[in-house]
Amino acid sequence: MALPPAFLDELRARTPLPGLIGRKTRLARNGRQWKGCCPFHNEKTPSFYVYDDHFHCFGCGAHGDAITFLMRAEGASFPEAVERLAGEAGLEVPKPTPQAAERERRARDLYGVLAAAEAAFRRRLMLPEGRPALDYLRRRGLTDATIARFGLGWSGEGRGALAADLKAEGITPDQLVAAGLMKPRDPDRPEAGLVDLFFNRVIFPIRDRRGRTISFGGRILGDGQPKYVNGPETDLFHKRRNLYGLDLAREGAFRGAPVLVVEGYMDVIALHQAGFAGAVAPLGTALTAEQLEALWGVSPEPVLCFDGDAAGARAAAKTAELALPLLAPEQSLRIAMLTGGEDPDTLVAKGGPAAFQAVLDAAKPLSAALYDLLAGSPPPVTPEQRAAFRHRLEAAARGIPDKALASEYRRVLLDRFFVEGRPPRGGGGGARPAGPRPAWTPRGRPGELVSIAGLQRIAIDPASVRLERARNLLAILLRHPMLLPEVEEPFATLDLPEGDAVLLRHALLAWLPGADLLDSTALMDHLRERGLESVLAWATRSAGLSQAAQPEAQPKDAMDGWWHFFGLLRGEAELIEDRAEAQRVLVETNDPLAQQRLIRLQEALNALRGGEADETAQPGTIG
């Protein structure tokens, strides 16, 4: 028995080709597709391209989908390739039963029924009885070419009109029920007969990713309710998996158009007519995980458009919550918010394509939008509110399964959290710089000599002390960059003094992912090439540097010194919080790295409580 086309379509949709083919040959992103050396013939110049649903080699002509690739690359038979891919995708291969054969036959028939129904609806739109619907579409600004491209039609006003139209083609009422076009008038009384699902409505064909009609949506003319209806679930149509306009958006994305998710049919159609060829919409419900996966199959970073009101913010927050467990380095989202009560349809009608393009240009990466959504309005200001907000940010980052990506999100979110929580410079108000308060500060201005019991001592400037500690922490990493992988996360989220310290941190974290060798000389040369020579000179000047920041320091001493300065800069309350988080991660993962971090945090906390925070760094010491 041949496998059902719907099953094979689902299997292909659930099998990301770059991931499958990337096991056999190294791929690199090339615009909207991937490129690499062909695994089927020996070549040195890449000519093998991987798209969202097929691969093609311009050298040897190899071409196909995921099933074809597995058959060709590993010599698997068709059933073996399907069984393996289905196992990885979490699908069960249909068994060759008489019932399955009947379902397959019925599915083939349903495509034909739906195609015939679409043709009938389109004919009715152009008849005199369809003139009110055609006038409505033209008043909405749609051209005849757009109406034809989307297959828009008219259901008719007479009961049983569709069944009468299709009877001549041998289509029975039972087939119309199976296709979601008719339903029992009274489910409890079969003898009551059938009734049309779409009546007195403008018809919008809903198509699958391959462009086949699988259901319809309908909009009533006049003030009746519900305004829009979609066809019911059938063997072909599943609301959670399909998106309106996806077939056209795939073509648009292939030609470079951004993929956009808007709310309704008319939004999609108006945007396509205005030149935004990647627009799609969910089918009357909020976005689902299956629809997000379908979007990522077309574009690595689709743009979700929401209304700028409270309801839009709630919808955006719900979608972000849904997306976090599905994020990966190669699949994310951007968020665009509409303002002024406009939707894409009305915005384009009033302001033209440029008005909507401005909305797209202002779209935020998910990390930035997530911060705003979690902050809410008004933003948190009290210590209690900010502590709760910080917990929400960290919880959101933990929801991302990819550890590297989760770490990046945590760093970005907390960096912004600390920057926005820092008091403005020169703003007065008596706010002191962040960090431990010195146990004793002699009276006098910073830098002024103060006499105490015959001794002269320079008054301590807390901001200068904090900057010096940050310099020591950075100098240790410059001299011993092999420590960076172990301390990357706490280093990324540490609240450092603005200016050279923050600039140098960003440079170190940017260098790490691409570094082939964690060597101090290579790091210094890299930073000098980036124009940071003066910052390097500040960080590594010998006066005031601890032994841990010297090139000859042993790795253990350098690591101990780094965590010492981290504790001084972090503060006791934050260290206690970090320790609790490390304990939680250790319990959940039993990861040796988590255990090591817990030990380091405890040591930093012990040192801080032992009074070392009251000392400033002196040459040859750690303090």
mmCIF file of all heavy atoms in Angstrom, residues 484-531:
data_model
loop_
_atom_site.group_PDB
_atom_site.id
_atom_site.type_symbol
_atom_site.label_atom_id
_atom_site.label_comp_id
_atom_site.label_asym_id
_atom_site.label_seq_id
_atom_site.Cartn_x
_atom_site.Cartn_y
_atom_site.Cartn_z
ATOM 1 N N LEU A 484 38.244 31.989 30.712
ATOM 2 C CA LEU A 484 37.002 32.567 30.195
ATOM 3 C C LEU A 484 35.855 31.558 30.048
ATOM 4 O O LEU A 484 34.731 31.851 30.462
ATOM 5 C CB LEU A 484 37.261 33.253 28.855
ATOM 6 C CG LEU A 484 37.512 34.761 28.912
ATOM 7 C CD1 LEU A 484 38.002 35.274 27.569
ATOM 8 C CD2 LEU A 484 36.256 35.507 29.340
ATOM 9 N N PRO A 485 36.090 30.368 29.483
ATOM 10 C CA PRO A 485 34.939 29.453 29.329
ATOM 11 C C PRO A 485 34.275 29.104 30.655
ATOM 12 O O PRO A 485 33.054 28.946 30.709
ATOM 13 C CB PRO A 485 35.565 28.219 28.666
ATOM 14 C CG PRO A 485 36.758 28.744 27.949
ATOM 15 C CD PRO A 485 37.295 29.831 28.823
ATOM 16 N N GLU A 486 35.056 28.989 31.736
ATOM 17 C CA GLU A 486 34.475 28.601 33.013
ATOM 18 C C GLU A 486 33.717 29.750 33.671
ATOM 19 O O GLU A 486 32.731 29.524 34.365
ATOM 20 C CB GLU A 486 35.561 28.091 33.963
ATOM 21 C CG GLU A 486 34.993 27.613 35.297
ATOM 22 C CD GLU A 486 36.037 26.943 36.180
ATOM 23 O OE1 GLU A 486 37.056 26.463 35.636
ATOM 24 O OE2 GLU A 486 35.837 26.900 37.405
ATOM 25 N N VAL A 487 34.160 30.983 33.458
ATOM 26 C CA VAL A 487 33.536 32.115 34.161
ATOM 27 C C VAL A 487 32.674 32.967 33.236
ATOM 28 O O VAL A 487 32.207 34.027 33.637
ATOM 29 C CB VAL A 487 34.624 33.003 34.821
ATOM 30 C CG1 VAL A 487 35.492 32.185 35.767
ATOM 31 C CG2 VAL A 487 35.497 33.692 33.767
ATOM 32 N N GLU A 488 32.447 32.505 32.007
ATOM 33 C CA GLU A 488 31.763 33.333 31.004
ATOM 34 C C GLU A 488 30.416 33.862 31.504
ATOM 35 O O GLU A 488 30.127 35.048 31.393
ATOM 36 C CB GLU A 488 31.553 32.533 29.718
ATOM 37 C CG GLU A 488 30.841 33.319 28.638
ATOM 38 C CD GLU A 488 30.609 32.496 27.383
ATOM 39 O OE1 GLU A 488 30.861 31.275 27.419
ATOM 40 O OE2 GLU A 488 30.160 33.074 26.380
ATOM 41 N N GLU A 489 29.587 32.990 32.062
ATOM 42 C CA GLU A 489 28.245 33.428 32.447
ATOM 43 C C GLU A 489 28.262 34.430 33.603
ATOM 44 O O GLU A 489 27.663 35.502 33.494
ATOM 45 C CB GLU A 489 27.361 32.219 32.794
ATOM 46 C CG GLU A 489 25.932 32.614 33.112
ATOM 47 C CD GLU A 489 25.040 31.421 33.423
ATOM 48 O OE1 GLU A 489 25.474 30.288 33.186
ATOM 49 O OE2 GLU A 489 23.929 31.645 33.910
ATOM 50 N N PRO A 490 28.952 34.130 34.734
ATOM 51 C CA PRO A 490 28.967 35.149 35.788
ATOM 52 C C PRO A 490 29.651 36.441 35.357
ATOM 53 O O PRO A 490 29.246 37.529 35.747
ATOM 54 C CB PRO A 490 29.715 34.465 36.936
ATOM 55 C CG PRO A 490 30.441 33.316 36.325
ATOM 56 C CD PRO A 490 29.608 32.882 35.164
ATOM 57 N N PHE A 491 30.671 36.329 34.526
ATOM 58 C CA PHE A 491 31.355 37.511 34.018
ATOM 59 C C PHE A 491 30.409 38.361 33.168
ATOM 60 O O PHE A 491 30.370 39.587 33.275
ATOM 61 C CB PHE A 491 32.570 37.061 33.196
ATOM 62 C CG PHE A 491 33.354 38.184 32.545
ATOM 63 C CD1 PHE A 491 33.739 39.302 33.269
ATOM 64 C CD2 PHE A 491 33.710 38.097 31.213
ATOM 65 C CE1 PHE A 491 34.466 40.324 32.670
ATOM 66 C CE2 PHE A 491 34.436 39.113 30.601
ATOM 67 C CZ PHE A 491 34.812 40.220 31.333
ATOM 68 N N ALA A 492 29.584 37.695 32.332
ATOM 69 C CA ALA A 492 28.685 38.418 31.436
ATOM 70 C C ALA A 492 27.615 39.188 32.186
ATOM 71 O O ALA A 492 27.150 40.233 31.717
ATOM 72 C CB ALA A 492 28.036 37.446 30.447
ATOM 73 N N THR A 493 27.210 38.701 33.337
ATOM 74 C CA THR A 493 26.101 39.339 34.060
ATOM 75 C C THR A 493 26.565 40.241 35.197
ATOM 76 O O THR A 493 25.734 40.841 35.887
ATOM 77 C CB THR A 493 25.170 38.263 34.629
ATOM 78 O OG1 THR A 493 25.911 37.391 35.489
ATOM 79 C CG2 THR A 493 24.542 37.437 33.516
ATOM 80 N N LEU A 494 27.853 40.350 35.400
ATOM 81 C CA LEU A 494 28.372 41.166 36.499
ATOM 82 C C LEU A 494 28.158 42.649 36.206
ATOM 83 O O LEU A 494 28.372 43.119 35.093
ATOM 84 C CB LEU A 494 29.862 40.886 36.693
ATOM 85 C CG LEU A 494 30.559 41.596 37.865
ATOM 86 C CD1 LEU A 494 29.926 41.198 39.195
ATOM 87 C CD2 LEU A 494 32.050 41.270 37.859
ATOM 88 N N ASP A 495 27.755 43.396 37.221
ATOM 89 C CA ASP A 495 27.529 44.838 37.089
ATOM 90 C C ASP A 495 28.866 45.558 37.205
ATOM 91 O O ASP A 495 29.380 45.767 38.300
ATOM 92 C CB ASP A 495 26.560 45.295 38.184
ATOM 93 C CG ASP A 495 26.134 46.745 37.993
ATOM 94 O OD1 ASP A 495 26.311 47.273 36.885
ATOM 95 O OD2 ASP A 495 25.634 47.335 38.976
ATOM 96 N N LEU A 496 29.450 45.953 36.064
ATOM 97 C CA LEU A 496 30.749 46.616 36.035
ATOM 98 C C LEU A 496 30.573 48.121 35.883
ATOM 99 O O LEU A 496 29.557 48.582 35.355
ATOM 100 C CB LEU A 496 31.581 46.082 34.858
ATOM 101 C CG LEU A 496 32.036 44.630 34.934
ATOM 102 C CD1 LEU A 496 32.786 44.263 33.663
ATOM 103 C CD2 LEU A 496 32.906 44.376 36.155
ATOM 104 N N PRO A 497 31.574 48.899 36.309
ATOM 105 C CA PRO A 497 31.510 50.344 36.086
ATOM 106 C C PRO A 497 31.441 50.669 34.598
ATOM 107 O O PRO A 497 32.081 50.001 33.777
ATOM 108 C CB PRO A 497 32.827 50.853 36.702
ATOM 109 C CG PRO A 497 33.235 49.789 37.666
ATOM 110 C CD PRO A 497 32.770 48.503 37.083
ATOM 111 N N GLU A 498 30.660 51.666 34.261
ATOM 112 C CA GLU A 498 30.528 52.061 32.865
ATOM 113 C C GLU A 498 31.862 52.568 32.332
ATOM 114 O O GLU A 498 32.720 53.022 33.080
ATOM 115 C CB GLU A 498 29.468 53.160 32.724
ATOM 116 C CG GLU A 498 28.042 52.665 32.854
ATOM 117 C CD GLU A 498 27.646 51.734 31.732
ATOM 118 O OE1 GLU A 498 28.172 51.884 30.607
ATOM 119 O OE2 GLU A 498 26.834 50.830 31.974
ATOM 120 N N GLY A 499 32.021 52.462 31.016
ATOM 121 C CA GLY A 499 33.218 52.978 30.379
ATOM 122 C C GLY A 499 34.121 51.866 29.900
ATOM 123 O O GLY A 499 33.674 50.870 29.302
ATOM 124 N N ASP A 500 35.424 52.003 30.184
ATOM 125 C CA ASP A 500 36.404 51.048 29.674
ATOM 126 C C ASP A 500 36.140 49.627 30.156
ATOM 127 O O ASP A 500 36.363 48.662 29.418
ATOM 128 C CB ASP A 500 37.818 51.473 30.093
ATOM 129 C CG ASP A 500 38.291 52.697 29.321
ATOM 130 O OD1 ASP A 500 37.655 53.034 28.295
ATOM 131 O OD2 ASP A 500 39.285 53.319 29.738
ATOM 132 N N ALA A 501 35.669 49.463 31.395
ATOM 133 C CA ALA A 501 35.442 48.113 31.931
ATOM 134 C C ALA A 501 34.365 47.387 31.128
ATOM 135 O O ALA A 501 34.545 46.224 30.741
ATOM 136 C CB ALA A 501 35.049 48.185 33.409
ATOM 137 N N VAL A 502 33.265 48.042 30.867
ATOM 138 C CA VAL A 502 32.188 47.420 30.099
ATOM 139 C C VAL A 502 32.626 47.193 28.654
ATOM 140 O O VAL A 502 32.354 46.143 28.058
ATOM 141 C CB VAL A 502 30.921 48.295 30.150
ATOM 142 C CG1 VAL A 502 29.861 47.788 29.183
ATOM 143 C CG2 VAL A 502 30.365 48.326 31.571
ATOM 144 N N LEU A 503 33.329 48.153 28.081
ATOM 145 C CA LEU A 503 33.818 48.015 26.709
ATOM 146 C C LEU A 503 34.733 46.804 26.574
ATOM 147 O O LEU A 503 34.618 46.009 25.632
ATOM 148 C CB LEU A 503 34.566 49.298 26.315
ATOM 149 C CG LEU A 503 35.190 49.326 24.911
ATOM 150 C CD1 LEU A 503 34.107 49.238 23.854
ATOM 151 C CD2 LEU A 503 36.023 50.593 24.731
ATOM 152 N N LEU A 504 35.638 46.630 27.543
ATOM 153 C CA LEU A 504 36.571 45.515 27.480
ATOM 154 C C LEU A 504 35.848 44.186 27.677
ATOM 155 O O LEU A 504 36.174 43.182 27.048
ATOM 156 C CB LEU A 504 37.667 45.706 28.531
ATOM 157 C CG LEU A 504 38.860 44.756 28.456
ATOM 158 C CD1 LEU A 504 39.443 44.711 27.054
ATOM 159 C CD2 LEU A 504 39.932 45.186 29.455
ATOM 160 N N ARG A 505 34.855 44.168 28.575
ATOM 161 C CA ARG A 505 34.094 42.922 28.763
ATOM 162 C C ARG A 505 33.427 42.493 27.447
ATOM 163 O O ARG A 505 33.493 41.327 27.059
ATOM 164 C CB ARG A 505 33.026 43.083 29.828
ATOM 165 C CG ARG A 505 32.161 41.820 29.894
ATOM 166 C CD ARG A 505 31.082 41.812 30.909
ATOM 167 N NE ARG A 505 30.257 42.977 30.948
ATOM 168 C CZ ARG A 505 29.444 43.248 31.967
ATOM 169 N NH1 ARG A 505 29.410 42.441 33.004
ATOM 170 N NH2 ARG A 505 28.698 44.330 31.955
ATOM 171 N N HIS A 506 32.755 43.426 26.780
ATOM 172 C CA HIS A 506 32.097 43.081 25.514
ATOM 173 C C HIS A 506 33.107 42.543 24.504
ATOM 174 O O HIS A 506 32.818 41.593 23.759
ATOM 175 C CB HIS A 506 31.385 44.304 24.939
ATOM 176 C CG HIS A 506 30.125 44.660 25.672
ATOM 177 N ND1 HIS A 506 29.197 43.716 26.054
ATOM 178 C CD2 HIS A 506 29.622 45.854 26.084
ATOM 179 C CE1 HIS A 506 28.184 44.310 26.667
ATOM 180 N NE2 HIS A 506 28.429 45.603 26.709
ATOM 181 N N ALA A 507 34.286 43.137 24.457
ATOM 182 C CA ALA A 507 35.306 42.688 23.516
ATOM 183 C C ALA A 507 35.771 41.268 23.845
ATOM 184 O O ALA A 507 35.972 40.441 22.946
ATOM 185 C CB ALA A 507 36.485 43.656 23.531
ATOM 186 N N LEU A 508 35.962 40.958 25.124
ATOM 187 C CA LEU A 508 36.390 39.616 25.527
ATOM 188 C C LEU A 508 35.327 38.574 25.193
ATOM 189 O O LEU A 508 35.631 37.493 24.676
ATOM 190 C CB LEU A 508 36.688 39.599 27.027
ATOM 191 C CG LEU A 508 37.966 40.317 27.471
ATOM 192 C CD1 LEU A 508 37.996 40.453 28.984
ATOM 193 C CD2 LEU A 508 39.197 39.559 26.994
ATOM 194 N N LEU A 509 34.080 38.878 25.487
ATOM 195 C CA LEU A 509 33.010 37.918 25.225
ATOM 196 C C LEU A 509 32.787 37.737 23.726
ATOM 197 O O LEU A 509 32.391 36.649 23.285
ATOM 198 C CB LEU A 509 31.718 38.381 25.904
ATOM 199 C CG LEU A 509 31.739 38.359 27.433
ATOM 200 C CD1 LEU A 509 30.464 38.966 27.999
ATOM 201 C CD2 LEU A 509 31.922 36.928 27.955
ATOM 202 N N ALA A 510 33.016 38.772 22.938
ATOM 203 C CA ALA A 510 32.881 38.652 21.489
ATOM 204 C C ALA A 510 34.018 37.829 20.885
ATOM 205 O O ALA A 510 33.834 37.116 19.896
ATOM 206 C CB ALA A 510 32.844 40.045 20.854
ATOM 207 N N TRP A 511 35.208 37.914 21.503
ATOM 208 C CA TRP A 511 36.369 37.181 20.988
ATOM 209 C C TRP A 511 36.276 35.692 21.282
ATOM 210 O O TRP A 511 36.675 34.860 20.456
ATOM 211 C CB TRP A 511 37.634 37.764 21.638
ATOM 212 C CG TRP A 511 38.886 36.962 21.397
ATOM 213 C CD1 TRP A 511 39.651 36.944 20.271
ATOM 214 C CD2 TRP A 511 39.526 36.064 22.323
ATOM 215 N NE1 TRP A 511 40.723 36.094 20.433
ATOM 216 C CE2 TRP A 511 40.672 35.544 21.687
ATOM 217 C CE3 TRP A 511 39.250 35.662 23.623
ATOM 218 C CZ2 TRP A 511 41.525 34.628 22.302
ATOM 219 C CZ3 TRP A 511 40.084 34.756 24.254
ATOM 220 C CH2 TRP A 511 41.218 34.239 23.606
ATOM 221 N N LEU A 512 35.713 35.318 22.414
ATOM 222 C CA LEU A 512 35.756 33.935 22.888
ATOM 223 C C LEU A 512 35.168 32.921 21.908
ATOM 224 O O LEU A 512 35.821 31.901 21.627
ATOM 225 C CB LEU A 512 35.056 33.829 24.252
ATOM 226 C CG LEU A 512 35.005 32.416 24.866
ATOM 227 C CD1 LEU A 512 36.401 31.873 25.075
ATOM 228 C CD2 LEU A 512 34.237 32.452 26.175
ATOM 229 N N PRO A 513 33.941 33.112 21.352
ATOM 230 C CA PRO A 513 33.369 32.048 20.517
ATOM 231 C C PRO A 513 34.203 31.688 19.297
ATOM 232 O O PRO A 513 34.195 30.542 18.860
ATOM 233 C CB PRO A 513 32.003 32.633 20.096
ATOM 234 C CG PRO A 513 31.696 33.659 21.125
ATOM 235 C CD PRO A 513 33.012 34.241 21.526
ATOM 236 N N GLY A 514 34.929 32.645 18.742
ATOM 237 C CA GLY A 514 35.704 32.362 17.542
ATOM 238 C C GLY A 514 37.173 32.077 17.788
ATOM 239 O O GLY A 514 37.947 31.894 16.836
ATOM 240 N N ALA A 515 37.601 32.031 19.054
ATOM 241 C CA ALA A 515 39.016 31.841 19.367
ATOM 242 C C ALA A 515 39.418 30.383 19.202
ATOM 243 O O ALA A 515 38.826 29.493 19.828
ATOM 244 C CB ALA A 515 39.295 32.313 20.786
ATOM 245 N N ASP A 516 40.403 30.115 18.356
ATOM 246 C CA ASP A 516 40.903 28.747 18.210
ATOM 247 C C ASP A 516 41.862 28.387 19.334
ATOM 248 O O ASP A 516 41.971 27.223 19.714
ATOM 249 C CB ASP A 516 41.631 28.608 16.866
ATOM 250 C CG ASP A 516 40.690 28.807 15.692
ATOM 251 O OD1 ASP A 516 39.513 28.384 15.803
ATOM 252 O OD2 ASP A 516 41.111 29.384 14.675
ATOM 253 N N LEU A 517 42.550 29.394 19.866
ATOM 254 C CA LEU A 517 43.529 29.169 20.917
ATOM 255 C C LEU A 517 43.350 30.240 21.991
ATOM 256 O O LEU A 517 43.374 31.434 21.679
ATOM 257 C CB LEU A 517 44.957 29.247 20.336
ATOM 258 C CG LEU A 517 46.119 29.007 21.309
ATOM 259 C CD1 LEU A 517 46.069 27.568 21.824
ATOM 260 C CD2 LEU A 517 47.455 29.277 20.626
ATOM 261 N N LEU A 518 43.139 29.789 23.236
ATOM 262 C CA LEU A 518 42.929 30.739 24.331
ATOM 263 C C LEU A 518 44.289 31.193 24.856
ATOM 264 O O LEU A 518 44.731 30.800 25.934
ATOM 265 C CB LEU A 518 42.084 30.089 25.432
ATOM 266 C CG LEU A 518 40.690 29.632 24.989
ATOM 267 C CD1 LEU A 518 39.922 29.031 26.159
ATOM 268 C CD2 LEU A 518 39.910 30.790 24.386
ATOM 269 N N ASP A 519 44.920 32.048 24.079
ATOM 270 C CA ASP A 519 46.282 32.502 24.360
ATOM 271 C C ASP A 519 46.259 34.001 24.616
ATOM 272 O O ASP A 519 45.606 34.771 23.897
ATOM 273 C CB ASP A 519 47.175 32.169 23.159
ATOM 274 C CG ASP A 519 48.569 32.733 23.315
ATOM 275 O OD1 ASP A 519 49.339 32.179 24.116
ATOM 276 O OD2 ASP A 519 48.866 33.733 22.630
ATOM 277 N N SER A 520 47.016 34.432 25.631
ATOM 278 C CA SER A 520 47.015 35.840 26.013
ATOM 279 C C SER A 520 47.568 36.725 24.907
ATOM 280 O O SER A 520 47.011 37.781 24.605
ATOM 281 C CB SER A 520 47.829 36.028 27.295
ATOM 282 O OG SER A 520 47.854 37.398 27.665
ATOM 283 N N THR A 521 48.652 36.309 24.282
ATOM 284 C CA THR A 521 49.247 37.125 23.223
ATOM 285 C C THR A 521 48.285 37.284 22.054
ATOM 286 O O THR A 521 48.103 38.388 21.516
ATOM 287 C CB THR A 521 50.560 36.487 22.732
ATOM 288 O OG1 THR A 521 51.470 36.378 23.842
ATOM 289 C CG2 THR A 521 51.192 37.336 21.635
ATOM 290 N N ALA A 522 47.632 36.178 21.663
ATOM 291 C CA ALA A 522 46.674 36.241 20.564
ATOM 292 C C ALA A 522 45.505 37.154 20.925
ATOM 293 O O ALA A 522 45.015 37.930 20.090
ATOM 294 C CB ALA A 522 46.169 34.837 20.231
ATOM 295 N N LEU A 523 45.057 37.083 22.166
ATOM 296 C CA LEU A 523 43.954 37.933 22.604
ATOM 297 C C LEU A 523 44.360 39.398 22.557
ATOM 298 O O LEU A 523 43.611 40.249 22.063
ATOM 299 C CB LEU A 523 43.533 37.528 24.022
ATOM 300 C CG LEU A 523 42.538 38.464 24.724
ATOM 301 C CD1 LEU A 523 41.260 38.598 23.916
ATOM 302 C CD2 LEU A 523 42.246 37.954 26.133
ATOM 303 N N MET A 524 45.544 39.705 23.086
ATOM 304 C CA MET A 524 45.997 41.100 23.096
ATOM 305 C C MET A 524 46.128 41.651 21.674
ATOM 306 O O MET A 524 45.718 42.784 21.386
ATOM 307 C CB MET A 524 47.354 41.196 23.802
ATOM 308 C CG MET A 524 47.327 40.751 25.252
ATOM 309 S SD MET A 524 46.701 42.023 26.323
ATOM 310 C CE MET A 524 47.405 41.484 27.883
ATOM 311 N N ASP A 525 46.688 40.838 20.770
ATOM 312 C CA ASP A 525 46.833 41.287 19.380
ATOM 313 C C ASP A 525 45.462 41.551 18.761
ATOM 314 O O ASP A 525 45.277 42.535 18.025
ATOM 315 C CB ASP A 525 47.571 40.226 18.558
ATOM 316 C CG ASP A 525 49.041 40.120 18.953
ATOM 317 O OD1 ASP A 525 49.540 41.062 19.606
ATOM 318 O OD2 ASP A 525 49.675 39.097 18.619
ATOM 319 N N HIS A 526 44.527 40.663 19.043
ATOM 320 C CA HIS A 526 43.170 40.837 18.514
ATOM 321 C C HIS A 526 42.557 42.153 18.999
ATOM 322 O O HIS A 526 41.952 42.903 18.214
ATOM 323 C CB HIS A 526 42.288 39.653 18.949
ATOM 324 C CG HIS A 526 40.835 39.837 18.666
ATOM 325 N ND1 HIS A 526 40.270 39.580 17.433
ATOM 326 C CD2 HIS A 526 39.816 40.268 19.470
ATOM 327 C CE1 HIS A 526 38.971 39.848 17.490
ATOM 328 N NE2 HIS A 526 38.668 40.256 18.702
ATOM 329 N N LEU A 527 42.700 42.451 20.266
ATOM 330 C CA LEU A 527 42.113 43.665 20.826
ATOM 331 C C LEU A 527 42.794 44.916 20.275
ATOM 332 O O LEU A 527 42.143 45.936 20.049
ATOM 333 C CB LEU A 527 42.197 43.626 22.347
ATOM 334 C CG LEU A 527 41.375 42.515 23.022
ATOM 335 C CD1 LEU A 527 41.609 42.511 24.515
ATOM 336 C CD2 LEU A 527 39.894 42.669 22.712
ATOM 337 N N ARG A 528 44.095 44.833 20.076
ATOM 338 C CA ARG A 528 44.793 45.987 19.489
ATOM 339 C C ARG A 528 44.302 46.241 18.067
ATOM 340 O O ARG A 528 44.143 47.391 17.648
ATOM 341 C CB ARG A 528 46.301 45.752 19.499
ATOM 342 C CG ARG A 528 46.921 45.769 20.898
ATOM 343 C CD ARG A 528 48.435 45.743 20.852
ATOM 344 N NE ARG A 528 48.995 45.673 22.191
ATOM 345 C CZ ARG A 528 49.388 44.551 22.791
ATOM 346 N NH1 ARG A 528 49.303 43.390 22.125
ATOM 347 N NH2 ARG A 528 49.875 44.566 24.014
ATOM 348 N N GLU A 529 44.075 45.161 17.305
ATOM 349 C CA GLU A 529 43.564 45.320 15.946
ATOM 350 C C GLU A 529 42.179 45.970 15.944
ATOM 351 O O GLU A 529 41.778 46.586 14.958
ATOM 352 C CB GLU A 529 43.485 43.955 15.263
ATOM 353 C CG GLU A 529 44.849 43.353 14.936
ATOM 354 C CD GLU A 529 44.729 41.919 14.445
ATOM 355 O OE1 GLU A 529 43.580 41.430 14.318
ATOM 356 O OE2 GLU A 529 45.778 41.291 14.194
ATOM 357 N N ARG A 530 41.466 45.808 17.043
ATOM 358 C CA ARG A 530 40.134 46.409 17.151
ATOM 359 C C ARG A 530 40.182 47.828 17.711
ATOM 360 O O ARG A 530 39.153 48.406 18.049
ATOM 361 C CB ARG A 530 39.231 45.549 18.055
ATOM 362 C CG ARG A 530 38.946 44.148 17.529
ATOM 363 C CD ARG A 530 38.221 44.209 16.179
ATOM 364 N NE ARG A 530 37.860 42.911 15.662
ATOM 365 C CZ ARG A 530 38.643 42.123 14.946
ATOM 366 N NH1 ARG A 530 39.878 42.518 14.654
ATOM 367 N NH2 ARG A 530 38.222 40.966 14.495
ATOM 368 N N GLY A 531 41.373 48.392 17.839
ATOM 369 C CA GLY A 531 41.502 49.771 18.288
ATOM 370 C C GLY A 531 41.390 49.949 19.784
ATOM 371 O O GLY A 531 41.086 51.048 20.256
#
